[in-house]
Amino acid sequence: MNIIRPITQADYKALYDIAVESGIGFTSLPVNDDLLHRKVDRAQEAFTKANVTQPGDESYLFVMEDTTTGEVVGTSGIEAAVGIDDAFYHYHLSKVVHASRELNIHNTVEILTFCNDYTGVTEICTLFLREQARGGINGRFLSKVRFLFMMEHRERFSETVIAEMRGVSDEKGRSPFWEWLETHFFSMDFPTADYLTGIGNKVFIAELMPKYPIYVNLLSKEAQAVIGQVHEKTRPALQLLEGEGFSCRGYVDIFDAGPTVEANLSHIRTAQSSLKMPIVIDDAAAAQGQTHYIINTSVADFRAVATEIGVNEEQNIAVLSRQAAAALNVQEGDHVRLAPVKFRD
């Protein structure tokens, strides 16, 4: 059984290995000892912080553990409110019209405007599943468990939830969009810019980024072609989020032009369809149920599993196996929150 739980300092080596495996363009996990240790410290602080009544600078980082081997095989995170301590930049893709009635000329042109429009919203981030664990529902479980956690502890998060999707770059870190910016404004390659941002050094962005809107038709054809497009390895993650109700509203990353997608927490399918119920423990009855994502209601001692559970909405009870109850650290009568792996059409 795989369990999702808060990260601890004992997981640092696994987190470092994940950072190495994730590669260039995975900004939230740069290969940097100080920063990764700080990420673990911030996560532990967030999970143990009591009496939270509104989203702040909390950074929640989860790991997926294979209980058979004790190995950490994946990670995912939530930033409660972005842009509070550090500026949070995007480009917004929109249109302007240049027209002359006298000459009977009417041109509609796309522009990219530098902005901080998402300041204060909640971001889901840092999703990575190691190669040996890919398959089955592990990737979906690692992603969707965050929606259950946010729904259970709504006071800790914004109603608006976003996800930045990795944009187009090759195996050497070459980003067509960044190459245009590099040539005209930055004079540094994409891996360097991405790394500096990942370790929190964002001053250079405000200093060097063009302050005025950029006309898209003035960019290179290669740069234009990747605006709003995702890295080939990111397509499954984007499809999953789109299935949950996320959509892109014109915001793209300032480095690789990958899309940022958003949704209201209340409208995210897994969150919306989730139920909170007390449990009874019965191995035989649980085995007859359907597979669900299930979390306990704790923050500091959070646990999540994906397993069969019997759901009786009329009696308002959920039937859980002893193994699942032990993994979740719950006893009969405690509450869990659950959502189906497969939705009914």
Side-chain angles (χ1 to χ4, degrees):
M1 179 180 288
N2 288 329
I3 293 177
I4 295 177
R5 58 170 175 77
I7 196 169
T8 69
Q9 283 294 349
D11 303 313
Y12 175 77
K13 175 62 166 60
L15 183 67
Y16 185 90
D17 291 342
I18 288 172
V20 172
E21 290 176 29
S22 63
I24 297 167
F26 201 76
T27 309
S28 59
L29 278 183
V31 183
N32 179 286
D33 280 315
D34 289 341
L35 182 109
L36 292 176
H37 276 298
R38 202 179 321 138
K39 286 183 77 71
V40 178
D41 288 339
R42 286 189 64 208
Q44 291 185 308
E45 182 180 347
F47 281 111
T48 55
K49 191 174 183 180
N51 302 317
V52 176
T53 58
Q54 63 183 18
D57 63 352
E58 297 83 25
S59 177
Y60 304 89
L61 190 60
F62 307 89
V63 292
M64 176 183 281
E65 177 186 339
D66 182 336
T67 57
T68 303
T69 63
E71 183 181 11
V72 168
V73 296
T75 182
S76 66
I78 310 171
E79 293 290 331
V82 297
I84 303 300
D85 292 330
D86 293 320
F88 195 68
Y89 298 111
H90 280 89
Y91 272 130
H92 185 247
L93 183 65
S94 58
K95 292 179 172 63
V96 295
V97 174
H98 294 272
S100 170
R101 185 174 299 175
E102 181 178 345
L103 298 176
N104 195 28
I105 295 174
H106 187 282
N107 291 319
T108 301
V109 183
E110 290 186 318
I111 60 170
L112 291 167
T113 305
F114 193 51
C115 66
N116 306 103
D117 291 357
Y118 278 132
T119 298
V121 308
T122 293
E123 180 190 15
I124 54 172
C125 56
T126 324
L127 177 65
F128 191 84
L129 189 63
R130 303 184 76 172
E131 190 73 36
Q132 66 268 31
R134 292 173 191 171
I137 63 170
N138 285 344
R140 284 175 285 162
F141 179 31
L142 194 55
S143 178
K144 294 186 178 189
V145 71
R146 297 174 295 189
F147 305 142
L148 294 177
F149 184 78
M150 287 189 284
M151 197 66 175
E152 179 61 28
H153 307 287
R154 296 188 67 163
E155 70 281 358
R156 291 175 175 257
F157 303 101
S158 167
E159 176 62 16
T160 301
V161 181
I162 66 168
E164 293 187 305
M165 312 307 293
R166 191 194 305 204
V168 175
S169 62
D170 63 20
E171 65 280 358
K172 296 181 179 179
R174 175 182 172 272
S175 163
F177 185 78
W178 178 258
E179 284 194 341
W180 186 87
L181 285 173
E182 176 189 351
T183 298
H184 296 282
F185 297 99
F186 281 90
S187 302
M188 75 173 72
D189 61 20
F190 176 65
T192 301
D194 186 66
Y195 177 77
L196 289 174
T197 301
I199 64 173
N201 184 352
K202 298 182 181 180
V203 175
F204 76 96
I205 299 174
E207 292 174 337
L208 299 177
M209 186 65 73
K211 305 300 187 296
Y212 300 102
I214 297 173
Y215 280 74
V216 172
N217 59 358
L218 299 182
L219 274 63
S220 67
K221 296 298 182 185
E222 293 80 7
Q224 292 182 45
V226 299
I227 295 174
Q229 302 301 308
V230 296
H231 193 282
E232 59 180 7
K233 292 183 178 179
T234 305
R235 286 178 191 144
L238 176 60
Q239 290 170 354
L240 185 152
L241 292 177
E242 288 174 337
E244 290 284 341
F246 283 76
S247 62
C248 182
R249 298 182 180 173
Y251 292 91
V252 299
D253 185 77
I254 60 172
F255 291 152
D256 60 21
T260 291
V261 294
E262 69 171 90
N264 287 346
L265 178 57
S266 303
H267 299 157
I268 296 173
R269 197 172 186 186
T270 292
Q272 187 181 51
S273 65
S274 68
L275 298 171
K276 184 175 181 178
M277 291 179 163
I279 65 163
V280 295
I281 298 176
D282 185 324
D283 288 340
Q288 300 301 313
Q290 300 297 313
T291 304
H292 285 68
Y293 306 116
I294 313 161
I295 68 169
N296 65 17
T297 59
S298 176
V299 177
D301 297 314
F302 175 79
R303 295 292 185 276
V305 298
T307 189
E308 293 79 17
I309 187 171
V311 179
N312 189 323
E313 293 190 40
E314 289 184 3
Q315 297 182 22
N316 190 40
I317 58 170
V319 185
L320 205 59
S321 70
R322 296 181 187 280
Q323 181 188 25
L328 290 167
N329 288 339
V330 294
Q331 299 177 346
E332 194 157 300
D334 289 345
H335 283 73
V336 297
R337 182 173 290 276
L338 54 102
V341 168
K342 294 183 179 179
F343 295 112
R344 297 174 184 173
D345 294 328

